Amino acid sequence: MSESSLDRTSRALDLIPFVTNNPGFSLAELADRFNSTPTQIFKDLEMLFMCGLPGYSHLELIDMELSEDYVAINNPQNLDLPRRFSFQEIASLTLGLQALLPLTRNPELADRISILITRLVAMVAEGERAQLELFSVQSETLKGMWDEVISTAALRQSAISIDYLSARTDSLTTRTIFPEFTYSSRGYLYTKALCTLSGEMRHFRHDRIMRAQELPDAIRPEEVRNLNEKAVTIRAILSRRNLYFVEAHPTIVASSTIEDDQIEVTFELGDSEWLLRELSTLPGRVEILHPATFWEAYHARLGAILSLYR
Amino acid sequence: MCRGYQIFRVLYLCHMSSTGSQKSERLINLTMALLASSRFLSKSEIFEIVAGYAGSAETKERMFERDKNDLRELGLDIEVGTEDPLFDDEAGYRIKPSSYAFQPEEIGALDPLDISLLSLAAAHWQNSLFSRSGQSALRKLESILPLLEGESLSLPLMSQEIPESRFESIWYAIKDGRVLSFTYRAGKDSRRRVEPLRMTLSEGFWYVIAFDLDVKEVRRFKLIRIGDDLKVEDSSRKAREFHGTATGAITADVNPADEIDAVILLRVGRAHELRHICNIVEEDSDWDRATARFDSEEDLFEKLAAAGSSALLIYPQESRLKFIAWIGEKINV
């Protein structure tokens, strides 16, 4: 989609004070920072080269040095300061900070987040302040006992030994993991880490970690398989009651079609064991269309449950 | 500056007025002129001194009206006034530097920890409006501060906000007080016409709290279930107040009446997830007897099914029968 002249004007007005304050960036670096292309940034700067104060003599035009690997503005005229924050910019930052609040256990950090929110809200024009309250973030995250140990290990790039309750295999295992980063997803904290037990990158839910201990001297193995390789395709028909399940897992849903009271879904994922377990917990009809091996595994699992009650 | 480029500049400026295609340049030149003036500039003065206005008086007038609206859309506060209110002078325009420029003292001093937090906040978003706005806010800060070097934080890095293409339309509909109509794809498809009141993000999903004009009630709608036929109507909503809290409308609080106490047998060395929430009351060589309270019967069934053949529901008997039927329904297709 081509951008409007307004979008271009907006970016150009932001470029001038940024380059004035930060001379020496290349076109590629500026493009990266302004989410654009080097060609577009060059065109913007070329345009700005022609802008200035009435009179438009060389003393009144914006003066810059422009080459592919070096951009500097020597005289921004009266555009040396950026524009004030827009309502959207403040909303984006304050709501982002609100989302961070429940993720910290550190009271000092929580205080700092609250102070930043207050300072940003104060920057909103009084008439628009009530509008800011129309948008909110509710994020409650279930904290685990070992969140701090895991996050610290991720920062230090060191290993931890954990006792992990695997829902997939219904087992409690001790393993060494090298955390990469922690993220929150729909109320839970997860850490993506290299697991030396499986030799793969895996996602560990914090509330399932029963014990964690940092291992500062552990050496990270070199080669790993990537669990995220999408190896399996599974097609199924679910009751429409399970729409929330399809919505909540966009990364494994390759396609979905809603028709009357059912949803036909194609899943693409690396771990069919996980899906087998999840599908067996969904209410209502679940019909596996493909592959036959997954159909058999699904029926065997539910058949084993029913046989307990006979 | 090389002489060639200076000549190019002059030729370019002369040429520009005839092409009329340099709207962005004209907008920037207009901004600079209005910012530089300590007094109100009349339209005729603007047409005379600001590069880019050409054509008949009527054309220039139309161009200026559009430019003024565009600059206001960019958030610039264009003041309208006359030098002497006692005389019926032509209205003039200006932009006060204090209303245009970011005032560093408003946000106050920012240390590396603040910078990290703001960067994380800006990086939180997957929706294009907030993602774009967060990044442009950071660029503005970098224009008045040394380059933002944050402090490493032991905070989760990512959010899992589900990207939502309808976010921007609904955001502006709420801000501008517009009525929305769309097909809502929940239990069944239904056509809705609503006055949007609020938006809230919960568990990764955006919801709009809106007054449903057909059922005459405040309802919540998950954005991801709003169809591609979303239409922002020209009609404005009534100034309706929503007194409930968004939290109350969204959180699926546990209803004590739905809670259920169960007795379950857990296979020894298995059903670890259930063991985590159960009290083991009796241990045996094959099965342990456990008790637990579940939020609802549905919650109980989901957890039993997740444990597979490692958990056996004993009590309540009625739920046991229902669970057998619940599992049966899933395979008798």
Side-chain angles (χ1 to χ4, degrees):
Chain A
M1 200 171 67
S2 65
E3 67 177 355
S4 69
S5 56
L6 216 53
D7 289 336
R8 195 176 176 204
T9 308
S10 179
R11 185 178 53 238
L13 286 172
D14 291 344
L15 259 173
I16 303 166
F18 181 85
V19 177
T20 304
N21 196 43
N22 302 290
F25 271 89
S26 68
L27 287 174
E29 287 165 333
L30 286 173
D32 187 41
R33 274 202 145 54
F34 283 84
N35 195 25
S36 187
T37 62
T39 309
Q40 186 56 56
I41 294 290
F42 180 74
K43 284 181 184 169
D44 289 348
L45 291 166
E46 223 181 16
M47 173 189 74
L48 287 171
F49 202 60
M50 306 301 161
C51 294
L53 293 166
Y56 305 105
S57 74
H58 70 283
L59 293 175
E60 286 137 343
L61 290 171
I62 292 171
D63 184 28
M64 70 177 75
E65 293 171 59
L66 175 55
S67 68
E68 191 178 333
D69 55 4
Y70 184 89
V71 180
I73 291 183
N74 302 320
N75 185 353
Q77 301 297 348
N78 56 355
L79 295 181
D80 55 329
L81 285 174
R83 286 174 294 152
R84 300 175 75 90
F85 275 165
S86 69
F87 180 80
Q88 282 84 345
E89 286 167 342
I90 293 180
S92 151
L93 292 179
T94 51
L95 293 177
L97 288 167
Q98 273 181 32
L100 283 179
L101 253 182
L103 300 178
T104 177
R105 282 177 164 225
N106 179 340
E108 190 199 334
L109 214 51
D111 275 355
R112 193 65 84 90
I113 292 172
S114 301
I115 290 167
L116 278 173
I117 292 175
T118 309
R119 280 154 73 177
L120 285 165
V121 171
M123 293 175 77
V124 180
E126 231 165 88
E128 284 191 313
R129 223 166 275 169
Q131 280 203 333
L132 200 55
E133 288 168 16
L134 300 180
F135 306 94
S136 62
V137 169
Q138 300 162 28
S139 58
E140 287 176 20
T141 303
L142 187 65
K143 294 187 175 74
M145 280 179 69
W146 309 100
D147 298 348
E148 217 46 54
V149 177
I150 300 163
S151 301
T152 307
L155 267 182
R156 292 183 188 152
Q157 297 192 319
S158 59
I160 45 175
S161 163
I162 60 168
D163 289 345
Y164 191 68
L165 199 59
S166 168
R168 180 173 163 270
T169 58
D170 189 16
S171 59
L172 184 68
T173 54
T174 299
R175 50 182 100 194
T176 299
I177 63 169
F178 288 81
E180 298 226 323
F181 59 83
T182 300
Y183 61 93
S184 68
S185 177
R186 283 174 279 290
Y188 293 101
L189 281 177
Y190 293 82
T191 285
K192 185 182 178 192
L194 168 62
C195 171
T196 55
L197 189 67
S198 62
E200 294 175 335
M201 294 303 293
R202 293 227 164 151
H203 298 257
F204 296 93
R205 210 169 91 179
H206 282 207
D207 63 312
R208 291 185 176 146
I209 295 174
M210 301 291 110
R211 179 196 62 85
Q213 186 189 355
E214 198 170 352
L215 302 173
D217 300 325
I219 296 166
R220 186 187 169 97
E222 285 292 320
E223 295 293 323
V224 289
R225 270 199 310 135
N226 192 351
L227 187 68
N228 291 328
E229 284 171 17
K230 289 176 176 163
V232 192
T233 299
I234 291 158
R235 283 196 302 120
I237 291 177
L238 314 181
S239 151
R240 190 160 171 165
R241 292 159 68 190
N242 297 307
L243 185 56
Y244 74 93
F245 179 78
V246 177
E247 291 167 350
H249 298 93
T251 54
I252 60 164
V253 174
S255 69
S256 66
T257 316
I258 304 176
E259 209 166 291
D260 300 327
D261 63 345
Q262 64 183 38
I263 318 161
E264 186 171 335
V265 194
T266 301
F267 297 101
E268 281 184 356
L269 73 171
D271 185 4
S272 60
E273 279 294 312
W274 173 85
L275 187 64
L276 182 65
R277 178 179 176 275
E278 290 297 312
L279 292 182
S280 67
T281 67
L282 297 181
R285 179 182 175 221
V286 175
E287 184 184 350
I288 309 299
L289 301 176
H290 174 84
T293 47
F294 192 79
W295 184 95
E296 283 161 17
Y298 178 74
H299 281 254
R301 182 181 169 90
L302 297 185
I305 295 174
L306 283 180
S307 68
L308 286 176
Y309 294 86
R310 288 192 185 118
Chain B
M1 184 67 54
C2 77
R3 187 176 160 76
Y5 221 114
Q6 286 290 12
I7 294 168
F8 168 68
R9 261 180 157 183
V10 172
L11 290 173
Y12 187 93
L13 282 167
C14 296
H15 174 67
M16 194 183 70
S17 58
S18 64
T19 62
S21 63
Q22 305 299 329
K23 182 161 182 177
S24 294
E25 286 172 48
R26 195 174 68 238
L27 287 173
I28 291 167
N29 284 329
L30 177 62
T31 304
M32 293 177 81
L34 295 178
L35 257 177
S37 179
S38 55
R39 61 181 182 81
F40 291 103
L41 290 177
S42 67
K43 270 190 238 178
S44 49
E45 282 176 302
I46 289 168
F47 298 156
E48 194 180 321
I49 65 170
V50 176
Y53 288 98
S56 66
E58 202 180 320
T59 306
K60 285 193 276 192
E61 187 85 24
R62 276 203 305 270
M63 281 166 96
F64 178 69
E65 286 307 313
R66 277 198 301 267
D67 290 352
K68 207 163 44 137
N69 290 339
D70 284 345
L71 291 185
R72 284 186 171 137
E73 204 174 310
L74 287 179
L76 306 194
D77 183 12
I78 301 174
E79 271 192 286
V80 185
T82 53
E83 282 312 304
D84 191 341
L86 296 177
F87 291 89
D88 195 16
D89 288 345
E90 187 190 352
Y93 304 88
R94 72 177 179 195
I95 298 173
K96 275 190 184 161
S98 61
S99 77
Y100 173 89
F102 190 100
Q103 308 296 322
E105 61 276 11
E106 277 187 71
I107 194 160
L110 296 172
D111 66 13
L113 178 60
D114 295 322
I115 298 300
S116 293
L117 290 169
L118 290 170
S119 302
L120 274 178
H124 184 83
W125 304 111
Q126 306 286 314
N127 78 72
S128 61
L129 177 70
F130 273 11
S131 155
R132 220 169 47 227
S133 302
Q135 292 309 316
S136 69
L138 293 183
R139 297 297 79 81
K140 285 181 180 178
L141 288 176
E142 285 181 328
S143 302
I144 53 166
L145 298 168
L147 276 182
L148 303 182
E149 288 294 339
E151 190 177 282
S152 294
L153 288 176
S154 57
L155 267 179
L157 293 176
M158 297 167 56
S159 89
Q160 294 290 302
E161 181 201 8
I162 306 294
E164 183 41 71
S165 58
R166 297 155 197 86
F167 178 88
E168 197 160 338
S169 307
I170 297 174
W171 163 275
Y172 283 114
I174 292 176
K175 278 200 83 217
D176 301 340
R178 309 289 287 277
V179 169
L180 296 171
S181 56
F182 51 84
T183 300
Y184 193 60
R185 316 200 75 182
K188 55 180 183 176
D189 290 356
S190 57
R191 189 76 196 158
R192 306 296 183 103
R193 202 163 162 267
V194 305
E195 293 176 355
L197 303 169
R198 290 177 180 223
M199 264 175 115
T200 189
L201 177 72
S202 178
E203 305 291 342
F205 291 101
W206 278 104
Y207 295 82
V208 56
I209 316 289
F211 184 82
D212 190 316
L213 291 164
D214 297 318
V215 296
K216 312 280 182 219
E217 271 181 17
V218 173
R219 296 275 173 96
R220 73 181 166 101
F221 301 92
K222 204 174 191 177
L223 261 63
I224 202 168
R225 293 184 181 175
I226 291 176
D228 293 334
D229 57 356
L230 170 71
K231 193 175 159 200
V232 182
E233 296 185 4
D234 289 336
S235 50
S236 296
R237 69 163 188 239
K238 290 179 184 166
R240 210 182 292 274
E241 287 290 323
F242 172 53
H243 295 294
T245 62
T247 311
I250 283 188
T251 308
D253 288 329
V254 175
N255 180 354
D258 294 338
E259 286 183 337
I260 186 165
D261 290 317
V263 178
I264 307 168
L265 292 184
L266 303 175
R267 208 181 284 277
V268 170
R270 307 290 290 175
H272 290 282
E273 217 170 2
L274 267 175
R275 283 173 187 277
H276 202 43
I277 55 169
C278 283
N279 293 316
I280 306 296
V281 291
E282 200 180 317
E283 293 183 1
D284 201 348
S285 56
D286 293 329
W287 296 88
D288 295 332
R289 194 178 181 88
T291 59
R293 176 166 290 177
F294 295 86
D295 293 345
S296 63
E297 200 166 59
E298 191 172 335
D299 179 43
L300 166 66
F301 290 176
E302 281 176 22
K303 289 190 166 82
L304 282 172
S309 57
S310 298
L312 175 61
L313 178 64
I314 300 295
Y315 175 87
Q317 178 65 21
E318 195 189 341
S319 297
R320 184 182 153 101
L321 294 173
K322 279 194 205 165
F323 180 64
I324 294 169
W326 191 83
I327 292 287
E329 188 191 357
K330 292 159 66 60
I331 44 178
N332 293 330
V333 292

